[in-house]
Amino acid sequence: MTEILRPIRSEEDLEQLATEPLAVLYKHSPWCGMSAGAQVEVQQFATSHPEVPVYMVDVVGHRALSRLAAERFGVQHESPQVLVVAQGGVVWDASHARVSCARIERALADRGARAPDG
């Protein structure tokens, strides 16, 4: 069974995310109350949109990977943070209280982004 939020535990995992036609990366801090609320929103999105792979990196346990993700995608590190990645590039991001299922859905709709068929 596939985990609802696919963990990023290696550079290979991060590169797998970058090869997806459309994916979401959630950067989570297990020490932050705001991250706990954001994680609920991201899980809601993942459950409602199983066709879009949703990845998660623990910014405390995998600090170097979190920083690598910021560099790889050209965004300033924040936590909690969501990046919508399409064909290897970030098309939308949000952090802190702006992380919500509805905002992720709206970002995809606003950009005409669609999950791959099949």
Side-chain angles (χ1 to χ4, degrees):
M1 181 197 302
T2 303
E3 296 179 62
I4 191 165
L5 300 181
R6 301 173 187 191
I8 300 276
R9 296 188 182 118
S10 68
E11 288 186 38
E12 291 79 20
D13 293 339
L14 189 59
E15 284 309 308
Q16 173 61 40
L17 168 126
T19 66
E20 300 278 4
L22 179 66
V24 172
L25 173 58
Y26 170 56
K27 296 172 71 180
H28 176 73
S29 170
W31 297 347
C32 172
M34 188 171 285
S35 274
Q39 185 174 6
V40 170
E41 293 289 325
V42 172
Q43 287 175 323
Q44 180 182 349
F45 173 82
T47 300
S48 300
H49 301 278
E51 73 281 4
V52 179
V54 179
Y55 292 80
M56 182 176 83
V57 64
D58 176 337
V59 302
V60 175
H62 295 285
R63 188 175 311 270
L65 286 171
S66 176
R67 287 188 179 135
L68 183 61
E71 291 172 19
R72 167 72 174 79
F73 296 114
V75 296
Q76 180 177 333
H77 166 73
E78 307 252 6
S79 173
Q81 184 177 39
V82 169
L83 310 176
V84 174
V85 179
Q87 300 176 340
V90 172
V91 295
W92 180 84
D93 69 280
S95 64
H96 297 90
R98 292 186 57 234
V99 174
S100 73
C101 177
R103 285 189 171 117
I104 300 167
E105 290 172 337
R106 195 165 40 249
L108 296 178
D110 288 351
R111 286 168 174 74
R114 298 186 139 174
D117 293 331

